[in-house]
Amino acid sequence: MKQALLSICAAALGLAMAGQASAAGTLETVKARGKLICGVSLTVPGFAAPDDKGRMQGFDVDICRSIAAAVFGDGEKVEFVPTNINTRFQALQSGEIDVLSRQTTHTFSRDASLGLDFGPTVFYDGQGLMVPKSLGVTSAKELTEAAICTLPGTTTAQNISDFFAAIKGKFELVVFESPDENRAAFYSGRCEAITSDRSDLASIRAVANNPDDYIVLPETISKEPLAPAFRQNDSNWGDIVSWSVWLLMAAEEKGITQANVDEKLKSDDPDVQRMLGATEELGKMLGLDDKWGYNIIKSVGNYGEIFERNVGEGTKLGLTRGPNALWNAGGLIYSPPIR
């Protein structure tokens, strides 16, 4: 019995040591490579798309840059790999990318069966439907018998099926392999409606020739918490991804911006001092520089700044904060204490 217990303990210790080696793996690989490789959408304005100079811009892109800034002190040390809906998880599983930041919904089955873990929700979304104004429809419940455009490999098809089953309605789901084909089919009238996350519908509407010709219907038919993903059994890397996101949220709550972060280094607030590395040595716990938080804000700003410049009311997408407001402003954005 004693020998058996020793064997069990030895096996457990071996697993623990293997787990520690795995945990250090991605960070060590990223540092040795000299850049982060981040999987993003092919082209989704507001979330991931090149500007007129070819530089990637967008909400998901800035999440990637925040992680790069945490690791390297430089948010530009990142390579963006466009991934499609069907291959995004394989790219992460195979090690082609270090993190996936691609409007990806955190679900039970994805978390439990794909060998992936998810970081904090960066965008609280929900599935909706968009139609041409000329259709004269004001509710999704009026779309029975309609042809509805969508993409494969998402949670969308199940959600729309559940919605119409609940109202005992029929519909035709028309699936296209690429976002470009999907948008073109909708614009051309191949489908009466198009369904996706409401943020994605705002992006599709924004790039239409005449955005005012389309309306997003009022129903939100699902919960879609969008979050970055990374490989399982890599706890240190998971902590880096997660705390990089939470730092963005905490910085907004504390009023730390890209413009005032240097001034905030002199703050008397103990929380701000810890976040920016002026006191204590929190970065070392993650294998990072103690100014990792300062480097994130200096590179990309805080969560609110990222939201407003990419998808906010002053952009073509024109999204309000809604559930993506801070917890103390009626939203769901909330960081654990950084201490």
Side-chain angles (χ1 to χ4, degrees):
M1 178 65 75
K2 183 177 180 180
Q3 185 62 41
L5 287 173
L6 288 173
S7 298
I8 292 171
C9 291
L13 179 61
L15 287 171
M17 295 177 66
Q20 290 173 0
S22 173
T26 303
L27 178 60
E28 290 176 351
T29 299
V30 170
K31 282 184 172 180
R33 187 196 300 126
K35 63 181 177 182
L36 174 75
I37 300 180
C38 196
V40 294
S41 301
L42 295 169
T43 301
V44 178
F47 285 86
D51 62 16
D52 55 6
K53 296 180 181 178
R55 185 173 185 269
M56 289 296 291
Q57 304 280 6
F59 186 97
D60 289 337
V61 165
D62 280 342
I63 297 299
C64 298
R65 289 199 173 106
S66 72
I67 300 166
V71 174
F72 296 109
D74 183 352
E76 296 304 311
K77 289 191 174 183
V78 54
E79 176 184 339
F80 298 102
V81 174
T83 60
N84 67 41
I85 286 174
N86 294 321
T87 63
R88 54 183 164 168
F89 297 125
Q90 293 93 317
L92 187 56
Q93 292 161 340
S94 68
E96 180 184 347
I97 59 177
D98 304 310
V99 64
L100 180 68
S101 179
R102 191 197 182 283
Q103 289 179 291
T104 298
T105 303
H106 183 178
T107 69
F108 176 92
S109 58
R110 289 173 175 175
D111 200 340
S113 67
L114 295 180
L116 308 178
D117 283 328
F118 287 83
T121 297
V122 294
F123 197 99
Y124 289 92
D125 211 342
Q127 187 174 328
L129 295 103
M130 184 165 66
V131 297
K133 283 183 180 177
S134 60
L135 195 63
V137 169
T138 59
S139 169
K141 295 178 181 178
E142 300 173 49
L143 290 174
T144 54
E145 308 296 338
I148 301 175
C149 288
T150 194
L151 293 168
T154 71
T155 56
T156 303
Q158 184 63 57
N159 292 336
I160 199 71
S161 296
D162 291 347
F163 173 78
F164 278 101
I167 64 171
K168 296 180 171 55
K170 296 181 180 179
F171 71 102
E172 176 192 357
L173 196 63
V174 186
V175 179
F176 295 90
E177 288 299 318
S178 77
D180 289 342
E181 291 175 335
N182 193 38
R183 288 191 294 262
F186 173 64
Y187 296 149
S188 69
R190 169 66 181 82
C191 305
E192 285 90 353
I194 187 169
T195 187
S196 186
D197 294 349
R198 296 180 72 86
S199 63
D200 194 38
L201 295 179
S203 180
I204 293 168
R205 183 176 181 269
V207 298
N209 289 333
N210 298 294
D212 290 341
D213 289 347
Y214 303 95
I215 59 169
V216 179
L217 298 175
E219 291 87 355
T220 299
I221 67 172
S222 71
K223 293 184 294 184
E224 304 294 333
L226 309 182
F230 42 88
R231 287 179 292 279
Q232 276 183 346
N233 303 319
D234 202 342
S235 60
N236 185 56
W237 184 245
D239 285 344
I240 290 169
V241 173
S242 295
W243 284 104
S244 295
V245 170
W246 281 323
L247 190 283
L248 297 169
M249 299 172 182
E252 182 182 9
E253 183 175 343
K254 287 293 184 178
I256 309 170
T257 68
Q258 195 171 25
N260 71 16
V261 66
D262 288 305
E263 179 185 343
K264 288 290 186 178
L265 283 170
K266 306 169 188 175
S267 171
D268 293 330
D269 186 329
D271 287 336
V272 173
Q273 292 176 351
R274 282 189 290 267
M275 289 163 59
L276 300 183
T279 61
E280 303 187 27
E281 297 183 338
L282 300 187
K284 288 183 173 61
M285 299 181 188
L286 298 174
L288 304 176
D289 187 275
D290 287 328
K291 294 188 73 174
W292 65 281
Y294 168 89
N295 292 333
I296 289 174
I297 304 307
K298 191 70 174 176
S299 292
V300 300
N302 64 39
Y303 179 89
E305 290 178 285
I306 290 174
F307 187 100
E308 293 301 337
R309 72 167 166 260
N310 291 303
V311 301
E313 293 183 76
T315 69
K316 288 183 178 180
L317 272 67
L319 299 179
T320 61
R321 290 289 293 268
N324 296 299
L326 290 177
W327 67 279
N328 55 9
L332 299 174
I333 297 302
Y334 189 109
S335 168
I338 300 179
R339 59 173 180 260

